[in-house]
Amino acid sequence: MTDISKPILIDIIAGARPNFMKIAPIIHALQKSRARGGRLHYRLVHTGQHYDARMSGDFFTQLGIPEPDINLETGSGSQAEQTAAIMQRYEKLIAEHPSALCLVVGDVTSTMACAITAQKLNIPVAHVEAGIRSGDWTMPEEINRMVTDAITNWFFTTSKNANGNLRRAGIPDERIFFVGNTMIDTLLANMDRLERPAFWQLLALQPGGYFVVTLHRPANVDEGGSFDRMLTAIGDATRGMPVVMPVHPRTAKTLQEINQVPENINLVDPQPYLEFNYLVKNAKAVITDSGGITEETTVMGIPCLTLRDSTERPETVDEGTNELIGTDPNALAPALDRLFDGKWKNGKIPEMWDGNTGMRIVTVLEKLLTP
Ligand code: UD1
């Protein structure tokens, strides 16, 4: 007979910066469910893919995420090295201390590695932000998404586009749950807590009077020459307005090869969550190659120029404020001319991006896991 008082343990996997804002609302919803006497318990497993305070620890503190129960401390390496290290260490954990479900979010290497490991030990997998596809197989994230979704039991989706991708792949409707976007839960929950960064006055920033730039994709930053040309184009096309560029560790390596960045580009450290989104909320526009940031700019109504040829988040373009500019530096000036002429679209917020996704996920999990 099933013991209905027994806790049901869910592993929540987080490894890299874009995971942390996605797990926070799920953890908070699980804590509420448990306080109401629910049987779902969680174990927070940090793979250690990102390990700097600026890429990891600061997010836990600001977003009220509890200390990880387990840190696999895998650290840096090539794609295969990281994947292997995470799989070996997570396998040992769940072989010795199994859980009832492995919940992964997003598309980073940790997501794929833990999903494979769990499924091979017959632990079911739930994927939050499932079904999104860029179609660009040169991005490691796209491979991670495809592999993860091939072995996921339950798919939590952010958009109708994602639902369509999964249905076309033959996933039956009863395994797809269109719940919205946990990253937006975190943004909406923190909108009143955003913090002005310490350098605001030093750089003489004014609301609506500066740009935010983030670049970290290998295609944009791994080769010094093309990265240099892109920075020059950004410096020119922003017409001398201040540009604030928080530098990802990967990008910092290539920057060492570049003699001089344009004068109006201010390089700063990776920013904590509250400071980064303060900068975005008050910017004239954002120039980025990130995926998640295009969702946040859409919700904040800030123009976003994406320096990629494809996106796995087409609703940010079709409904939101995002536009795909591509990776040709010459394409930037005409797009920014339209912005300066006041011709950028306003956009609207996609369906279900309402701040309640974490609760919806936990409600589904309670039904799925509690007999
Ligand atoms: C990873 C994710 C990407 C996500 C990005 C956000 C994959 C395949 N990619 O890419 O989806 O958008 O994180 O940050 O999982 N490093 C540090 N300190 C850290 C973390 C990394 O110095 O705390 C260095 C690493 O040593 C490495 C480089 O930064 O040299 C890149 O880190 P890595 O985890 O390999 O991938 P990201 O480019 O960060």
Side-chain angles (χ1 to χ4, degrees), residues 13-24 44-52 54-57 59-60 63 65 71 74-75 79 82 86 105-112 114 141 144 183 216 248:
I13 309 295
R17 184 169 62 178
N19 291 160
F20 307 136
M21 48 294 251
K22 294 174 193 169
I23 60 160
L44 177 53
V45 181
H46 192 321
T47 65
Q49 181 182 343
H50 283 179
Y51 42 86
D52 289 351
R54 287 185 180 123
M55 301 297 287
S56 175
F59 288 79
F60 279 70
L63 300 179
I65 306 172
N71 193 326
T74 48
Q79 290 290 317
Q82 271 185 344
I86 296 165
V105 301
D107 55 17
V108 303
T109 300
S110 305
T111 307
M112 175 189 73
C114 291
E141 292 82 357
N144 294 342
M183 195 162 183
H216 76 283
H248 185 283

Side-chain angles (χ1 to χ4, degrees), residues 2-53:
T2 319
D3 177 359
I4 57 159
S5 61
K6 218 173 142 212
I8 297 169
L9 185 65
I10 300 175
D11 273 347
I12 298 187
I13 309 295
R17 184 169 62 178
N19 291 160
F20 307 136
M21 48 294 251
K22 294 174 193 169
I23 60 160
I26 303 172
I27 290 181
H28 295 148
L30 279 169
Q31 287 169 334
K32 281 190 193 140
S33 149
R34 205 170 142 187
R36 288 194 310 264
R39 287 177 61 201
L40 301 186
H41 288 218
Y42 69 85
R43 175 170 68 182
L44 177 53
V45 181
H46 192 321
T47 65
Q49 181 182 343
H50 283 179
Y51 42 86
D52 289 351

Side-chain angles (χ1 to χ4, degrees), residues 38 63 71 90 108 121 135 143 323 329:
L63 300 179
N71 193 326
Y90 185 51
V108 303
L121 289 186
I143 310 298
E323 247 187 65

Side-chain angles (χ1 to χ4, degrees), residues 209-259:
Y210 63 93
F211 288 83
V212 173
V213 173
T214 80
L215 294 173
H216 76 283
R217 300 270 166 219
N220 281 326
V221 306
D222 277 5
E223 204 276 302
S226 57
F227 183 36
D228 196 0
R229 283 191 292 283
M230 185 57 91
L231 289 176
T232 305
I234 292 172
D236 290 344
T238 48
R239 304 185 183 181
M241 259 194 186
V243 173
V244 181
M245 182 168 169
V247 180
H248 185 283
R250 172 173 210 114
T251 313
K253 284 184 196 157
T254 314
L255 271 172
Q256 289 170 353
E257 297 167 26
I258 294 175
N259 289 333

Side-chain angles (χ1 to χ4, degrees), residues 170-200:
I171 308 295
D173 277 351
E174 57 269 22
R175 286 167 53 202
I176 304 172
F177 303 93
F178 177 29
V179 288
N181 194 324
T182 58
M183 195 162 183
I184 300 308
D185 281 16
T186 294
L187 182 66
L188 296 177
N190 287 286
M191 205 65 109
D192 296 334
R193 300 178 59 228
L194 302 182
E195 283 176 23
R196 182 179 274 197
F199 55 72
W200 179 271

Side-chain angles (χ1 to χ4, degrees), residues 61-333:
T61 313
Q62 287 197 335
L63 300 179
I65 306 172
E67 281 289 304
D69 298 291
I70 311 281
N71 193 326
L72 301 177
E73 293 181 347
T74 48
S76 300
S78 70
Q79 290 290 317
E81 285 165 346
Q82 271 185 344
T83 306
I86 296 165
M87 288 179 74
Q88 282 172 346
R89 293 173 192 206
Y90 185 51
E91 181 181 57
K92 190 165 184 306
L93 172 72
I94 51 178
E96 288 168 9
H97 306 285
S99 58
L101 177 76
C102 172
L103 183 142
V104 294
V105 301
D107 55 17
V108 303
T109 300
S110 305
T111 307
M112 175 189 73
C114 291
I116 295 175
T117 310
Q119 196 59 268
K120 285 197 171 184
L121 289 186
N122 301 321
I123 294 174
V125 174
H127 184 200
V128 173
E129 200 187 271
I132 64 175
R133 295 288 182 275
S134 67
D136 178 357
W137 286 22
T138 66
M139 287 174 61
E141 292 82 357
E142 183 72 355
I143 310 298
N144 294 342
R145 292 180 198 118
M146 292 166 65
V147 173
T148 304
D149 284 343
I151 52 163
T152 285
N153 299 75
W154 297 307
F155 302 82
F156 291 102
T157 61
T158 49
S159 68
K160 288 186 174 159
N161 293 309
N163 300 342
N165 291 336
L166 292 170
R167 286 193 189 115
R168 274 190 294 283
I171 308 295
D173 277 351
E174 57 269 22
R175 286 167 53 202
I176 304 172
F177 303 93
F178 177 29
V179 288
N181 194 324
T182 58
M183 195 162 183
I184 300 308
D185 281 16
T186 294
L187 182 66
L188 296 177
N190 287 286
M191 205 65 109
D192 296 334
R193 300 178 59 228
L194 302 182
E195 283 176 23
R196 182 179 274 197
F199 55 72
W200 179 271
Q201 271 170 348
L202 193 72
L203 300 183
L205 301 179
Q206 298 286 338
Y210 63 93
F211 288 83
V212 173
V213 173
T214 80
L215 294 173
H216 76 283
R217 300 270 166 219
N220 281 326
V221 306
D222 277 5
E223 204 276 302
S226 57
F227 183 36
D228 196 0
R229 283 191 292 283
M230 185 57 91
L231 289 176
T232 305
I234 292 172
D236 290 344
T238 48
R239 304 185 183 181
M241 259 194 186
V243 173
V244 181
M245 182 168 169
V247 180
H248 185 283
R250 172 173 210 114
T251 313
K253 284 184 196 157
T254 314
L255 271 172
Q256 289 170 353
E257 297 167 26
I258 294 175
N259 289 333
Q260 213 181 353
V261 299
E263 216 174 310
N264 62 327
I265 299 186
N266 302 282
L267 304 175
V268 298
D269 284 333
Q271 292 298 296
Y273 184 84
L274 299 176
E275 282 81 351
F276 182 74
N277 282 294
Y278 184 96
L279 285 171
V280 170
K281 187 164 188 277
N282 289 287
K284 182 166 184 64
V286 173
I287 302 170
T288 189
D289 60 7
S290 156
I293 293 172
T294 68
E295 298 182 339
E296 291 165 337
T297 48
T298 280
V299 169
M300 290 191 262
I302 300 297
C304 182
L305 294 83
T306 293
L307 305 186
R308 288 172 50 192
D309 297 315
S310 61
T311 176
E312 60 289 339
R313 295 163 164 91
E315 57 283 353
T316 63
V317 176
D318 300 337
E319 300 174 54
T321 54
N322 183 26
E323 247 187 65
L324 291 182
I325 307 300
T327 51
D328 176 1
N330 295 322
L332 198 58

